[in-house]
Amino acid sequence: MNRHHRYLATWAAGALLATAALPSAVSAAAGPELGTPAVAASSAAVAVDDPAYDVLVFSRTAGFRHSSIDEGVTALRELGKANNFTVTATEDAAAFNSANLAGYEAVVFLSTTGDVLNAAQQTAFEGYIEAGGGYVGIHAAADTEYDWSWYGGLAGALFRSHPAIQPATVEVEDRAHDATAHLGPTWQRTDEWYDYRTNPRTTAHVLASLDESTYSGGAMGDDHPIAWCKDYRGGRAFYTGGGHTEDSYTDPSFRRHLLGGIRWAARLAEADCRPETGYTTLYGTSGTSGWKQAGPGSFTESDSTLTSQGGLGLFWYQAKEYKAYSLKLDWRQAGDDNSGVFVGFPASDDPQSAITKGYEIQIDATDTPERTTGSVYGSASADLAARDAALNPPGEWNTYEIRVEGERLQVFLNGRKINDFTNTDPARSLQQGHIGLQNHSNGDDVSFRNVRIKELGGTTGPREGAVTGIGAKCLDVAGGSSDNGTQVQLWTCNRTAAQRWTVGTDDTLRALGKCLDISGGGSADGTKVQLYGCNNSGAQKWVQQANDTLRNPQSGKCLDASGASSADGTKLQLWTCNTGANQRWVLPG
């Protein structure tokens, strides 16, 4: 059974997938010109070894009809034949019923336009996505269903206007996602470049954007996303603005872009698709300034990618020490290889200093639990089930987020939390130190891209903002009251103090100066969740799990929106943990 079929099983029953290294520093290796057809063709020619799955391609139009739709269907059929998925192409909206949709891992909206689904069909598609389904929007999929707000959220942004077809430079922001990992830092394409009514960056993870200085008529300014992905109400959504022209669908780079979007939406590949803002690049397209090699071995550099060779050494960022921060980086193993990311160590030209005075987040999928991928090496195993579910295999890229707040270290793999460790060793401290990349030994070939960091401000780095749940509604204190015992509920997001929560390093959630609390410290299903004076009790501890639920360790149960409702005023309660959308929460970043 494919991954997505497991996500759909319950709902359906009720409703019927560069080398790169620095001699004592970094040695540059000449690579091919970025974005050339030769590079694209090579990367697009390799079939992906996936289990069989099924894709529905929907191309109904109720407005402008693109002449490239036939070429798009042909390209998707050919991609499917080469990569083990079947394509069912239709313009019949009757295909949007719960029983039929349950048979597909992803649904592609191929340059649809206008109002293409009726109310019952919209409801069926909403159920499909909320049960874990995948959506892929191509080009005019953003020129569709303007009066259906749910669809606007799924697509991420809707069409406003476009200038004439012309060449432009696409800036590839994420080179780990399967839809963009085959591309260089820039991508030269000719297409019809859409402007959108809103900027999706705050609600979606931007994969690529347009450099408006390279073409005429762009109207979104310096931040013009053109491809993105997002988790949406239990499902996955990928959108690309390319695909207006017939030639797009014979371009190997664009075909590989579509394949990656489909694979991710269908849960055949993993990626961090959480919104990302405020990060500073430590290693990207501008070389290795600020970095230094310690110990033997080195890294090679090619195509803005570092690849380890020899060792045991460490390539560390000497320019600055960091306190509270979120460190993100992309990494790839060639095979059964060994490397790691070090944090919290003092400045030293001896790599052993990082080992004895810092902590390593391991990369090695075949070692023992406390020394395998996602572990804090020698100290804390990852949640192996969560790690395995989030991990892409050798040859594909993965993304780590390593979040350090005080002595707490959390590890996220492709957007899912897999480790939560607190340092208690008096000989070490995470509260200040450097970060570094390990080159382990000969034959251990691990590559790194796009190392970036966001300082969280202070040694504890509290996160503050809205907490959102089912229906994109906000965690809200009823009436904005700070009285003990005030019911906590769902409500339309409105940016008031009653919806501004602080995520404490002590596992509390605080609003209006008080804590999210379980009435009476109870553990029965249905126990009221309320606002109450902070008292450091187990009734006020909430730990986010890999599946985005908020679990109270004392009771072993989860924060739940009663009745699986997203209506304003829905009361929050304690309930046995499950995978329902009414128990999944997005915390401030």
Side-chain angles (χ1 to χ4, degrees):
M1 181 179 287
N2 295 336
R3 287 187 187 181
H4 176 51
H5 281 145
R6 291 197 296 269
Y7 278 82
L8 286 175
T10 301
W11 170 71
L16 206 72
L17 190 325
T19 57
L22 312 157
S24 294
V26 179
S27 62
E33 182 182 353
L34 301 179
T36 61
V39 175
S42 175
S43 59
V46 180
V48 179
D49 186 18
D50 287 332
Y53 62 105
D54 302 292
V55 174
L56 178 66
V57 177
F58 184 56
S59 56
R60 184 180 182 187
T61 56
F64 181 83
R65 184 168 183 86
H66 285 72
S67 60
S68 60
I69 286 176
D70 289 345
E71 285 80 3
V73 170
T74 297
L76 293 170
R77 289 191 187 280
E78 291 175 353
L79 281 172
K81 184 176 181 181
N83 295 282
N84 209 24
F85 64 87
T86 63
V87 168
T88 300
T90 187
E91 299 203 349
D92 185 357
F96 284 75
N97 64 79
S98 58
N100 184 58
L101 290 173
Y104 298 101
E105 277 69 26
V107 177
V108 179
F109 277 49
L110 174 60
S111 282
T112 51
T113 55
D115 187 0
V116 292
L117 299 178
N118 65 28
Q121 294 158 355
Q122 291 175 357
T123 298
F125 191 48
E126 290 178 6
Y128 166 81
I129 293 295
E130 290 168 5
Y135 162 87
V136 175
I138 302 175
H139 193 57
D143 188 20
T144 301
E145 295 287 357
Y146 290 95
D147 296 326
W148 182 16
S149 61
W150 183 95
Y151 180 84
L154 177 74
L158 296 176
F159 167 77
R160 182 176 65 187
S161 61
H162 64 79
I165 296 170
Q166 58 191 299
T169 298
V170 178
E171 296 176 334
V172 182
E173 298 188 25
D174 183 325
R175 298 178 65 211
H177 194 287
D178 196 53
T180 46
H182 64 294
L183 300 170
T186 60
W187 186 17
Q188 308 300 323
R189 291 202 71 242
T190 295
D191 216 315
E192 180 182 75
W193 302 114
Y194 276 7
D195 294 314
Y196 301 95
R197 298 185 179 192
T198 57
N199 189 316
R201 190 176 295 275
T202 59
T203 61
H205 180 72
V206 176
L207 302 174
S209 55
L210 288 172
D211 181 349
E212 287 194 357
S213 71
T214 64
Y215 72 102
S216 299
M220 292 184 69
D222 292 337
D223 186 12
H224 188 151
I226 197 65
W228 53 82
C229 60
K230 64 190 300 186
D231 294 305
Y232 188 71
R233 302 197 183 183
R236 292 184 172 187
F238 168 87
Y239 171 83
T240 180
H244 175 87
T245 66
E246 288 88 345
D247 289 345
S248 293
Y249 298 99
T250 58
D251 174 6
S253 288
F254 188 71
R255 282 189 172 212
R256 186 62 184 83
H257 179 57
L258 295 180
L259 175 61
I262 291 169
R263 293 188 70 240
W264 177 79
R267 302 181 186 269
L268 276 301
E270 299 300 321
D272 189 345
C273 282
R274 296 173 297 169
E276 183 176 317
T277 59
Y279 284 79
T280 299
T281 300
L282 301 185
Y283 173 76
T285 61
S286 58
T288 57
S289 175
W291 292 81
K292 185 178 183 181
Q293 178 73 23
S298 59
F299 283 80
T300 60
E301 183 182 25
S302 178
D303 191 26
S304 298
T305 303
L306 297 170
T307 299
S308 61
Q309 61 179 12
L312 182 72
L314 186 72
F315 195 47
W316 62 289
Y317 192 69
Q318 62 172 340
K320 186 173 181 178
E321 288 186 275
Y322 292 97
K323 297 181 180 180
Y325 56 89
S326 167
L327 173 69
K328 287 191 177 184
L329 50 84
D330 306 328
W331 58 269
R332 179 183 65 185
Q333 293 176 278
D336 183 9
D337 301 298
N338 188 319
S339 186
V341 182
F342 279 86
V343 297
F345 59 91
S348 177
D349 286 331
D350 181 2
Q352 289 298 319
S353 177
I355 294 172
T356 59
K357 297 181 180 179
Y359 283 106
E360 178 188 8
I361 294 78
Q362 178 76 326
I363 298 171
D364 183 349
T366 60
D367 211 330
T368 57
E370 72 279 4
R371 297 182 176 185
T372 188
T373 297
S375 68
V376 180
Y377 186 88
S379 297
S381 172
D383 179 333
L384 297 182
R387 189 278 311 273
D388 290 347
L391 182 65
N392 288 321
E396 297 184 24
W397 288 89
N398 292 277
T399 298
Y400 266 163
E401 180 192 3
I402 300 166
R403 183 182 287 269
V404 174
E405 298 169 284
E407 295 294 349
R408 184 181 185 186
L409 188 161
Q410 299 176 77
V411 181
F412 298 78
L413 175 64
N414 295 323
R416 300 296 177 183
K417 185 158 75 170
I418 62 169
N419 210 332
D420 195 335
F421 167 76
T422 299
N423 171 50
T424 58
D425 183 349
R428 313 185 198 206
S429 179
L430 288 164
Q431 295 195 41
Q432 185 165 339
H434 292 274
I435 65 100
L437 311 175
Q438 183 186 62
N439 54 297
H440 186 269
S441 59
N442 287 326
D444 283 318
D445 303 321
V446 178
S447 298
F448 297 91
R449 286 178 172 172
N450 196 14
V451 183
R452 64 266 194 206
I453 198 164
K454 178 165 69 173
E455 296 184 79
L456 301 178
T459 57
T460 58
R463 294 175 283 156
E464 185 176 278
V467 176
T468 58
I470 185 172
K473 295 290 182 73
C474 277
L475 195 67
D476 178 276
V477 181
S481 171
S482 61
D483 292 345
N484 283 345
T486 300
Q487 175 74 56
V488 178
Q489 61 184 6
L490 285 180
W491 200 269
T492 300
C493 297
N494 54 33
R495 299 186 180 182
T496 63
Q499 297 182 357
R500 189 164 61 248
W501 296 87
T502 298
V503 184
T505 57
D506 58 353
D507 292 330
T508 59
L509 281 170
R510 302 176 182 231
L512 301 172
K514 294 190 175 180
C515 282
L516 188 70
D517 177 275
I518 300 166
S519 179
S523 61
D525 282 352
T527 300
K528 176 184 177 182
V529 173
Q530 60 187 6
L531 197 70
Y532 204 87
C534 298
N535 54 31
N536 200 36
S537 71
Q540 297 181 353
K541 305 295 184 181
W542 302 94
V543 178
Q544 189 160 41
Q545 307 300 297
N547 61 3
D548 295 331
T549 58
L550 281 172
R551 181 177 177 272
N552 171 249
Q554 176 174 280
S555 66
K557 295 188 176 180
C558 284
L559 183 66
D560 178 281
S562 62
S565 172
S566 62
D568 283 354
T570 297
K571 295 178 180 180
L572 297 191
Q573 61 184 6
L574 194 68
W575 200 268
T576 300
C577 297
N578 56 58
T579 58
N582 62 317
Q583 290 192 359
R584 292 198 293 267
W585 305 92
V586 179
L587 300 182

